[in-house]
Amino acid sequence: PVFVPVTAFTLAWTHSIEQVRWEEDYAVLPGDAPGQPPMLQARQARIKGSAANMEPPDDAVLQTAGMPTRQTNNRCPNCC
């Protein structure tokens, strides 16, 4: 494995049965205190359609490039 240091990345895939494209944007944030591990923050998600329990939330906004979900400030400790 090769470690690539980044502060943000997008995870993207196509559902194998429904052939629906899904993208999720994440930010890698510093730990809450010096010496603490970094935190992974989910920022936004986009889908090209809905199927197979991949429904957009009620507050999603339809755009040409996809359907982004609401932005979030969720932090996932120890995900990195």
Side-chain angles (χ1 to χ4, degrees), residues 48-64:
K48 291 288 186 180
S50 59
N53 293 323
M54 294 171 47
E55 302 298 326
D58 292 337
D59 61 348
V61 177
L62 179 62
Q63 294 181 347
T64 304

Side-chain angles (χ1 to χ4, degrees), residues 6-9 26-32 36-43 72-76 78 80:
V6 296
T7 57
F9 64 94
Y26 293 89
V28 181
L29 306 174
D32 288 332
Q36 294 294 312
M39 306 282 279
L40 189 60
Q41 181 184 52
R43 302 298 298 253
T72 179
N73 289 324
N74 294 339
R75 297 181 91 182
C76 305
N78 304 319
C80 299

Side-chain angles (χ1 to χ4, degrees), residues 2-21:
V2 176
F3 175 72
V4 179
V6 296
T7 57
F9 64 94
T10 299
L11 179 63
W13 69 93
T14 300
H15 188 279
S16 61
I17 303 297
E18 301 291 342
Q19 298 300 306
V20 174
R21 176 81 172 175

